[in-house]
Amino acid sequence: MAEKIIELINITKSYDGTVVVDNQNLYIRKGEFITFLGPSGCGKTTTLRMIAGFEMPDSGKVLLNGKDITDMPPYLRPINTVFQRYALFPHLNVYDNIAYGLKLKKVKVTYQNAAGKTKTRIEKLTRKEIDEKVKKALKMVDLEDFEKRDVTTLSGGQQQRIAIARAIVNEPEILLLDEPLGALDLKMRKDMQLELKEIHKKLGITFIYVTHDQEEALTMSDTIVVMKDGIIQQIGTPTDIYNEPKSAFVADFIGESNIFSGTIVAKNKVRFLGKTFEMVDDFEINEKVDVVVRPEDVFLVDEGLGQVDGVITSSIFKGVHYEMAMAIGNNEIVIQDTQQRVVGEKASIIIKPFDIHIMHKEFVSNVYDGVITKRNTVEFAEGEFECDVTQLYPDSKLDEEGYLVLPTGEQLDLTGTAVKVEIGLKDIEIIDNEEDGDSCGEIVSIIYKGDHYQVIVRTFEEEEDFVIDTEYVWNENDKVSVKIAPEKIKLSLKVVEKK
């Protein structure tokens, strides 16, 4: 196994009180092509900038070849960066753009003087050395004989290759690429994906790549780091990430997935879609789980010949296959097949045991730290909610003055009492008017789970999350509020640990 070239140890970074990288630990092997993948705002670019030295972590360390470089300025790090917008000098031709950094570079030169003594001095590179390095870099990106061309006359793909040549001409140990293909059209982007992978093979140096494009990550990477909300969700090879996602978020973000709520009913048996299926994973009996099945792993057969029947509700030709949706009771399953079934046709599906991936449920209920107010309501997640405080003490009741009366007759003032608040995923209502609910926030995630959507509403100030199972369709970034019926709020006294 290749040795580690970069290590991030307990790295944390915040902006204006918002944590964007949260206690991250990661190592990168020498010569590896590793990709940070995730939605906008997940912390991947911030992580890249801390490796480059453009940002300083609030806490933690960045190690290069085992040496702490956390406080080292960018120009002293053997690292170059390629940005999305090329950052070429429009007034310089191709040759001078690539040679720009070399002309400023100084190296140690050891020589013997007339007396035979060894001396060391700092010198600039010679014109011949610069010329050789520029031509070598141009050959590496397949743009030989482009030296005299005006960079403004080049295509987007050619300009990006010039930017890469300018970065590699200084022979860095590590090349950072921050969404470098984002400004290219689809065909050019696909071509550049293959070219970048080939350049990586030729150079043999470490590539650290940032993208939100799943196909890009799967196509080019040796290793993928999936991030969400500043936290690493999963690290693995493209095959592992795709075939063995560790959470519903990873399964939904990487490729297309059918995600269902299921129950383990016996050893190697799981029930979902109203039927029991054989599986290869080993989970505890009666455990509630998430079941992931890729669309290409669902086989369509004639009605009655499969494991469960349904009706085709949509069929779209996607070039190499048809993408069809089938209604099975209240659930919907997406299927990719080379044979078309028409809308309204009854059919059946077969899912093989090794194509059923089982995951522990990421969310079972919403749990918060709360406090009882003088009005016998409970405050949590930036809201104040009506609740039944008598559940805190068995057989208690409220008197006319609002005191809790115990069976012994003792009166308790609950004001300021710390409590644990628990709410079911189906027990929270989303309201599109911010003023009409008990707490406000923004929708930051939506995952379809066969017969419902799992929506995460994040509050504005404290960034508390409400995880909600709903049958209704919402949009990410919608500003909404939430409402919870008092009887749906479960309260228990919070245990205070003694010091």
Side-chain angles (χ1 to χ4, degrees):
M1 182 179 289
E3 61 186 284
K4 301 172 186 177
I5 188 169
I6 287 286
E7 285 186 81
L8 306 181
I9 302 174
N10 300 325
I11 290 292
T12 298
K13 181 67 178 179
S14 302
Y15 295 109
D16 300 324
T18 300
V19 178
V20 292
V21 175
D22 192 358
N23 197 36
Q24 194 176 105
N25 288 278
L26 173 70
Y27 68 83
I28 298 167
R29 292 185 289 268
K30 189 169 289 187
E32 187 173 25
F33 194 129
I34 188 168
T35 298
F36 295 154
L37 175 67
S40 297
C42 72
K44 54 188 185 294
T45 293
T46 301
T47 302
L48 194 81
R49 290 177 64 82
M50 287 191 286
I51 293 172
F54 300 139
E55 299 284 352
M56 294 295 111
D58 298 336
S59 60
K61 294 180 180 181
V62 179
L63 305 184
L64 172 67
N65 294 318
K67 178 184 175 184
D68 189 347
I69 61 165
T70 310
D71 299 320
M72 182 183 289
Y75 66 88
L76 291 179
R77 302 186 186 200
I79 298 171
N80 274 9
T81 306
V82 178
F83 300 99
Q84 181 177 337
R85 290 293 177 180
Y86 318 143
L88 299 177
F89 299 116
H91 62 287
L92 299 179
N93 64 19
V94 168
Y95 183 98
D96 289 332
N97 260 282
I98 298 172
Y100 184 83
L102 294 175
K103 292 175 180 178
L104 301 176
K105 189 174 183 179
K106 294 181 179 180
V107 295
K108 286 184 179 180
V109 177
T110 303
Y111 65 99
Q112 284 187 332
N113 61 16
K117 291 185 178 180
T118 300
K119 296 275 187 175
T120 300
R121 64 187 178 198
I122 304 297
E123 293 183 356
K124 288 188 174 183
L125 295 174
T126 65
R127 183 181 295 273
K128 182 181 178 182
E129 288 172 326
I130 291 173
D131 192 56
E132 288 175 352
K133 288 179 181 292
V134 170
K135 288 181 177 178
K136 182 180 177 182
L138 280 168
K139 185 176 181 180
M140 193 72 67
V141 297
D142 292 325
L143 287 177
E144 297 160 277
D145 303 324
F146 273 64
E147 295 99 323
K148 303 305 179 186
R149 291 279 293 272
D150 186 334
V151 292
T152 59
T153 66
L154 303 180
S155 69
Q158 289 170 333
Q159 289 187 48
Q160 190 58 285
R161 278 188 277 171
I162 296 301
I164 293 168
R166 188 177 62 182
I168 64 178
V169 78
N170 286 305
E171 299 170 348
E173 289 186 55
I174 301 169
L175 186 63
L176 308 181
L177 301 107
D178 189 3
E179 305 210 35
L181 310 185
L184 305 180
D185 62 50
L186 180 60
K187 185 178 184 307
M188 195 176 294
R189 193 160 67 241
K190 287 181 178 295
D191 291 342
M192 279 301 298
Q193 288 173 12
L194 300 177
E195 290 191 31
L196 269 176
K197 187 66 178 172
E198 192 59 32
I199 290 170
H200 173 253
K201 286 181 181 177
K202 290 178 183 177
L203 287 173
I205 65 173
T206 305
F207 275 33
I208 305 177
Y209 196 91
V210 160
T211 185
H212 61 271
D213 187 311
Q214 302 95 321
E215 184 182 341
E216 241 173 54
L218 292 169
T219 299
M220 296 189 294
S221 313
D222 299 321
T223 303
I224 298 174
V225 179
V226 185
M227 297 179 64
K228 175 190 176 188
D229 297 334
I231 298 172
I232 294 173
Q233 303 294 309
Q234 187 171 349
I235 302 173
T237 65
T239 303
D240 290 341
I241 294 286
Y242 187 83
N243 291 331
E244 299 291 332
K246 288 187 176 178
S247 69
F249 168 78
V250 175
D252 184 64
F253 192 76
I254 304 292
E256 296 182 49
S257 296
N258 294 291
I259 305 175
F260 305 102
S261 292
T263 304
I264 305 300
V265 294
K267 183 174 176 59
N268 301 126
K269 292 181 185 292
V270 59
R271 186 173 179 82
F272 65 102
L273 294 176
K275 297 288 182 179
T276 298
F277 293 80
E278 299 279 347
M279 64 175 193
V280 296
D281 294 316
D282 191 14
F283 279 71
E284 288 188 16
I285 296 174
N286 296 324
E287 182 177 351
K288 300 293 184 182
V289 294
D290 280 332
V291 181
V292 175
V293 182
R294 297 289 186 183
E296 66 270 23
D297 292 330
V298 184
F299 297 93
L300 270 175
V301 294
D302 292 338
E303 183 184 14
L305 299 180
Q307 294 156 309
V308 58
D309 296 336
V311 178
I312 302 298
T313 56
S314 73
S315 180
I316 301 171
F317 183 56
K318 289 291 187 82
V320 295
H321 63 258
Y322 292 90
E323 185 168 282
M324 293 165 280
M326 174 187 275
I328 301 173
N330 294 325
N331 286 279
E332 179 183 83
I333 187 167
V334 177
I335 305 155
Q336 292 175 357
D337 201 308
T338 55
Q339 181 181 347
Q340 184 185 22
R341 302 270 178 162
V342 299
V343 173
E345 182 179 350
K346 293 181 179 180
S348 191
I349 60 169
I350 294 174
I351 308 173
K352 296 177 181 177
F354 50 80
D355 290 327
I356 296 174
H357 182 63
I358 308 297
M359 301 178 300
H360 297 287
K361 274 192 172 294
E362 192 173 1
F363 303 105
V364 177
S365 64
N366 293 275
V367 179
Y368 308 94
D369 290 330
V371 62
I372 303 300
T373 73
K374 63 181 179 181
R375 293 176 291 278
N376 287 321
T377 59
V378 61
E379 287 184 346
F380 64 92
E382 296 182 37
E384 183 179 347
F385 300 81
E386 298 288 337
C387 63
D388 177 15
V389 295
T390 63
Q391 61 186 292
L392 292 171
Y393 292 89
D395 301 321
S396 63
K397 62 183 179 180
L398 287 172
D399 65 16
E400 293 180 356
E401 297 178 347
Y403 291 102
L404 190 76
V405 181
L406 302 181
T408 60
E410 181 184 357
Q411 284 184 323
L412 295 180
D413 182 356
L414 295 176
T415 304
T417 300
V419 292
K420 174 186 172 183
V421 181
E422 187 170 2
I423 306 146
L425 305 183
K426 296 180 180 179
D427 296 333
I428 303 175
E429 180 185 0
I430 305 175
I431 301 173
D432 56 11
N433 189 327
E434 294 181 54
E435 288 74 33
D436 291 344
D438 298 311
S439 182
C440 302
E442 179 180 3
I443 294 177
V444 297
S445 173
I446 302 172
I447 296 176
Y448 184 57
K449 292 203 166 183
D451 62 346
H452 69 275
Y453 297 89
Q454 188 161 95
V455 178
I456 298 180
V457 176
R458 181 164 296 158
T459 62
F460 296 122
E461 298 296 328
E462 298 174 9
E463 296 191 336
E464 292 269 18
D465 287 349
F466 292 95
V467 182
I468 304 159
D469 284 349
T470 176
E471 60 183 293
Y472 300 109
V473 181
W474 294 87
N475 297 311
E476 283 196 23
N477 304 317
D478 278 353
K479 306 294 189 295
V480 297
S481 61
V482 298
K483 200 166 189 64
I484 308 169
E487 64 271 16
K488 300 297 185 182
I489 297 177
K490 297 179 182 177
L491 300 177
S492 58
L493 291 171
K494 189 176 178 184
V495 177
V496 180
E497 294 183 3
K498 294 181 180 180
K499 296 184 179 179

